[in-house]
Amino acid sequence: MAKKVALMQGNEACAHGAMYAGCTFFGGYPITPSTEVAEVLSNELPKVGGKFIQMEDEIAAMASVLGASLTGAKVLTATSGPGVSLKQELIGYACIAEIPCVIINVMRGGPSTGMPTGPGQSDVQQAKWGTHGDHATIALVPASVQEIFTETVRAFNLAEKYRMPVQVLYDEIVGHMRERIEFPEAGELEVINRTLPSVPPEQYKPYDTSFGDVPPLAAFGSGYRFHVTGLNKAQDGFPTTKAEYVDAEERRQVRKVEGEVARVQIESNEEYLTEDAEVLVFAYGSTSRSARYAVNELRKEGIKAGLFRPITLWPFPEKRISALGKQVKAIIVPEMNLGQMNLEVERVVKGSCPVISIGRVDGEPLNPGQIIAQVKEVK
Amino acid sequence: MAYDYEKSLRPGKLPHIWCPGCGHGIVMKGLLRAMDTCGLEKNNTALVSGIGCASRLPGYVDMCTLHTAHGRAAAFATGVKMARPEMNVIVMGGDGDGTAIGGNHFIHACRRNIDMTYVIMNNFIYGMTGGQFSPCTPTGDKASTTPYGNPDPTFDISKLAIGAGATFVARTTAFHATQIDKLIAEGIKHKGMAIIEVLDDCPTTYGRRNKFRSVVDMMKRLKDMAVPVTAAGKMTAEQLEGKILTGVLYKEDKPEYCEQYAKVIARAQGVK
């Protein structure tokens, strides 16, 4: 049977990806350029008995999804940079209390209100370091309408599997662009649900590490009574200031994502013509599309350019970028900000090759010509 | 026989963090009696709070408890209730938490008329941080950040709740201990947003700065301030000067939010 196809906007694909993943609760607040995600879900969720609520502000939207997630729902909120700035408080809460949730950030420029209808990639470091305190981050950066669908599904899977907030960041270009999308059949993409406790309620501890680095999460109202707090806590969920408990919990919460095994499961990258590349372009989101065009043009001229495109941006693909840094003569990092991921590439290659930033923050897309010119300069 | 509070408390979590003479314990006991009166099931009741002395209350109670971030309790509670409307949802918190940093969430939870009970313990001060003035600190009073007297006007929490659309609003004080559980129980039984304001005392950070010589003095003040709303009609404006009305101040039947959303689901599913 032929697959169901459509011409669809990135934001719409995101909403349909959420439905595919089994999202049953959306809490949001209107903000350009992400609003279509909310609009589509306000239409789709009640059809399956799900809940849509438009809250009084961005913080409340984040709070509502966390409350809903604790009752066992798969939850989503969608916003843009200014909204994520406000949500940071409760993204931190979701990190420490380990509450699964997905946050869509359709990126525009900044700081502050910036250019609401223009594209940007200005939140890639905010995604990692926006909330205070040490914590692990998972952030995905799809580059096409199809990929927004599949990465939204994967974001839910990762949120449920690792019991934490997962951010999906895509720029306004991908969010508002219309492309052909093929809808996966039911069962075609993996859908993961959180691990529920296997012990009876009287033995349940919400941060019990005897089940590994990701403790099972019971639902409020399912017969399990437990305490959830934003304070540092022990494995039983109650606040503690005991140094050894606090240290163990903090380290576990970072390790559950940044540990060797987890990284392999979470990281996702695409490499294009990198095998023999002498100049590497590191690009993500819509910028990676310009970069791919640039690489093709350069190859026609006999210049060995290649593209590394992270699909998981955080945790950062440290090992692979470190290896490529030793292989190539230079890494070019085009992005719609003034070099945010360039810093991370620099940190990881540790001086083994020059790392050159191409930043653009004027509300216009980064075009292939800029990348081609820069590659030729280093060649 | 003395009432058995321990059946509702988590074993091993006492002593609580509250100072000797603090009224929060009186409110907690009222809450436990009220939940008992209403027959709330522990497994089916969520107790949600924000940050501050009052917000530590859920940690002691053997229910599904959620100690959230400063001011955000009503917004978290809204998510819990929307996602699982069959759960009883009770919010506990202080005046600073609920009406300053959480003011926006407070008024919108009232406006939606979502079925929850919000017990707001108004002790006129930010206690946990050491006694800074809150939106409820009386004008002219001393706080650690109003050494020359508080220049700010105050919120009347109950009026705020009524104005914002809560459909059950009641007030009492920590002195009127037996009224606390009656009003909370009535709030729990009410279908819609119920606000119960309990005027409370903080001897440590408010009392000692404002010339209360003892907790007894503070309790006397609460007693003297309170006028039952049923008696106020017979009193002159002069007699009511400086008093606060207690009892059920407002009650109205209006469509409840989760029921309204159930209709949205029915319409989306094409049910006529």
Side-chain angles (χ1 to χ4, degrees), chain A residues 4 40 52 68 77 79 81 92 127 133 137 143 173 180 184 199 227 251 334 338:
Chain A
K4 199 181 154 203
V40 173
F52 170 92
T77 187
T79 185
T137 297
I173 296 172
R180 183 177 189 275
V199 297
H227 187 60
R251 287 179 192 279
L338 295 179

Side-chain angles (χ1 to χ4, degrees), chain B residues 140-163:
Chain B
D141 276 9
K142 295 280 178 66
S144 74
T145 47
T146 57
Y148 305 106
N150 177 23
D152 280 34
T154 58
F155 260 146
D156 180 324
I157 295 175
S158 292
K159 276 189 185 165
L160 179 68
I162 296 167

Side-chain angles (χ1 to χ4, degrees), chain A residues 11-338:
Chain A
N11 282 341
E12 294 166 356
C14 172
H16 290 288
M19 295 301 293
Y20 186 98
C23 173
T24 55
F25 187 98
F26 179 93
Y29 185 79
I31 185 168
T32 303
S34 78
T35 309
E36 294 85 0
V37 179
E39 288 172 345
V40 173
L41 287 171
S42 71
N43 196 55
E44 296 301 316
L45 277 169
K47 288 182 190 170
V48 298
K51 312 287 167 66
F52 170 92
I53 189 165
Q54 185 172 308
M55 293 296 284
E56 56 271 16
D57 60 36
E58 294 279 1
I59 302 171
M62 192 66 208
S64 71
V65 300
L66 297 183
S69 183
L70 285 171
T71 71
K74 280 188 173 179
V75 300
L76 178 74
T77 187
T79 185
S80 185
V84 175
S85 295
L86 288 162
K87 284 176 174 5
Q88 290 298 351
E89 171 192 76
L90 297 184
I91 290 174
Y93 189 92
C95 289
I96 195 166
E98 298 182 80
I99 304 174
C101 59
V102 177
I103 301 140
I104 306 295
N105 178 354
V106 189
M107 290 183 289
R108 60 199 227 194
S112 190
T113 311
M115 206 188 299
T117 54
Q121 295 179 315
S122 61
D123 302 331
V124 287
Q125 289 288 352
Q126 181 183 207
K128 179 73 190 86
W129 300 112
T131 196
H132 60 280
D134 289 282
H135 58 90
T137 297
I138 300 179
L140 314 179
V141 282
S144 69
V145 171
Q146 183 78 51
E147 201 168 72
I148 286 176
F149 185 102
T150 52
E151 288 305 294
T152 301
V153 175
R154 195 164 73 95
F156 274 96
N157 288 345
L158 293 169
E160 296 284 317
K161 183 172 179 182
Y162 293 97
R163 205 183 144 175
M164 62 182 288
V166 172
Q167 302 180 56
V168 183
L169 294 89
Y170 52 86
D171 50 85
E172 183 273 345
I173 296 172
V174 196
H176 279 158
M177 179 169 66
R178 287 186 185 276
E179 281 186 317
R180 183 177 189 275
I181 176 171
E182 270 187 14
F183 290 104
E185 305 281 342
E188 190 178 332
L189 299 182
E190 186 184 23
V191 169
I192 297 174
N193 296 316
R194 69 190 67 171
T195 305
L196 299 173
S198 53
V199 297
E202 60 276 13
Q203 285 170 27
Y204 179 65
K205 287 186 283 185
Y207 305 96
D208 191 345
T209 55
S210 56
F211 299 93
D213 280 346
V214 187
L217 177 59
F220 278 177
S222 70
Y224 288 78
R225 298 192 298 280
F226 55 102
H227 187 60
V228 180
T229 177
L231 288 164
N232 281 115
K233 77 281 173 195
Q235 293 196 16
D236 62 4
F238 291 97
T240 183
T241 51
K242 278 195 182 138
E244 67 269 32
Y245 292 161
V246 173
D247 185 78
E249 278 290 280
E250 286 258 338
R251 287 179 192 279
R252 174 183 63 76
Q253 290 188 5
V254 172
R255 186 176 64 229
K256 73 176 178 180
V257 168
E258 296 186 0
E260 286 296 313
V261 179
R263 270 178 180 272
V264 172
Q265 293 172 347
I266 299 167
E267 284 181 14
S268 171
N269 312 296
E270 183 198 2
E271 293 192 31
Y272 180 63
L273 305 178
T274 53
E275 209 165 294
D276 63 342
E278 290 174 359
V279 180
L280 183 74
V281 184
F282 176 100
Y284 53 93
S286 72
T287 307
S288 70
R289 300 167 71 121
S290 294
R292 188 187 309 268
Y293 188 96
V295 166
N296 285 335
E297 291 301 304
L298 288 160
R299 286 274 170 172
K300 282 181 202 163
E301 295 181 35
I303 298 170
K304 288 183 176 169
L307 167 68
F308 184 94
R309 179 173 80 88
I311 304 170
T312 299
L313 194 62
W314 302 108
F316 191 76
E318 291 176 357
K319 268 194 180 163
R320 191 59 193 136
I321 293 301
S322 173
L324 285 165
K326 294 183 182 99
Q327 172 193 320
V328 300
K329 289 178 184 163
I331 301 179
I332 314 289
V333 187
E335 45 187 342
M336 285 186 279
N337 58 53
L338 295 179

